[in-house]
Amino acid sequence: MKGPRTSAGVVSIKGQAELDKMRHAGRVHARIMQRLREMIEPGVSTLDLDVVAEQMTRDADCVPSFKGYEAHARTPYPATICAEVNEIVVHGIPSDDERLKPGDIIGVDLGVAFEGYHADGAFTVGVGEVDEESQRLMAVTQRSLELALEQVKPGATLRDLATAVQEYVEGEGFSVVTALCGHGIGAALHEPPQVPNYVQDGDPDSELVLEPGMTLAIEPMVNAGGAEVRSGADGWVVVTADGSRSAHFEHTVAVTEDGHRIMTAP
């Protein structure tokens, strides 16, 4: 889950005890996401996915990070996952009426908290056989996340991450969503800094130098068409302005002395 871009503010440095809690949340997160991947097939509702995600989260003595989250919308977020079908970029609310069809693509975004510390991640996958452009969209978005992760190390800047994503995505003919971005994460689901996926000249936040103990949720959101998005009447769901499909991949990562550690890896 993500919000609009703001100034970086004070970036927290986590100690080992805090990182251990985030890693535990990340392991639980990875198990749940694997189960949801296995469930995705034609006829499954997005609410089916949400019910399983919440039950697995609570069975692991964790808490859904998104459920009840209050942000810019008029009402708290009502679900455990965000279900992002086809043109939905982020914050799609699961529903029993929304059943997956062959050829759809779906992004699943999940947050898990353990003893007050959060892990956040997302993937996008096809439902049955999907068209070639959708396959390429998902592959490019996933690869852009991998390229961003490769930049995460002490001394790197947020601009390095953004450059890696933007240059690759645009070189492949797709658009990086600029209205939304990743974020710091830890004791709060959203902490400073904002983690953009594109380079904005004159943005002082982009020159933030990474240090061991920083924890980031890095999440490219990529559209098959234009970069513009619009928000729905509920104040939560965000869709592509031109109706094109969108893909979303995300990991929570910690900066270490010699590079990084992906907290949401299996």
Side-chain angles (χ1 to χ4, degrees), residues 4 19 21 53 67 78 106 162 195 197 242 245 263-264:
L19 294 171
K21 291 176 182 179
K67 195 163 189 177
I106 177 172
V195 183
N197 299 303
D242 58 12
R245 290 186 166 188
M263 310 295 261
T264 43

Side-chain angles (χ1 to χ4, degrees), residues 104-243:
D104 285 342
I105 65 172
I106 177 172
V108 177
D109 190 358
L110 170 69
V112 171
F114 175 69
E115 295 185 357
Y117 284 83
H118 299 264
D120 187 4
F123 68 83
T124 306
V125 68
V127 182
E129 293 188 13
V130 301
D131 63 87
E132 184 176 347
E133 180 182 56
S134 295
Q135 292 179 35
R136 203 166 69 81
L137 173 67
M138 292 185 290
V140 167
T141 309
Q142 183 171 18
R143 180 57 181 155
S144 73
L145 173 58
E146 293 168 353
L147 291 171
L149 291 170
E150 289 175 7
Q151 303 300 314
V152 179
K153 56 185 178 293
T157 67
L158 294 181
R159 179 181 290 270
D160 296 331
L161 279 64
T163 299
V165 171
Q166 184 177 18
E167 289 185 352
Y168 177 67
V169 168
E170 294 180 352
E172 294 294 325
F174 295 121
S175 300
V176 175
V177 174
T178 57
L180 301 162
C181 60
H183 51 93
I185 186 170
L189 178 60
H190 292 113
E191 297 182 349
Q194 299 292 305
V195 183
N197 299 303
Y198 76 106
V199 176
Q200 183 179 21
D201 291 336
D203 179 8
D205 296 353
S206 68
E207 304 307 326
L208 176 72
V209 177
L210 301 185
E211 301 176 25
M214 289 182 177
T215 48
L216 309 172
I218 302 171
E219 50 181 325
M221 293 152 276
V222 177
N223 296 345
E228 293 76 18
V229 300
R230 58 182 177 82
S231 297
D234 62 7
W236 280 112
V237 66
V238 177
V239 300
T240 58
D242 58 12

Side-chain angles (χ1 to χ4, degrees), residues 46-57:
T46 52
L47 183 61
D48 293 334
L49 301 174
D50 189 72
V51 168
V52 169
E54 180 169 1
Q55 188 63 57
M56 290 184 68
T57 299

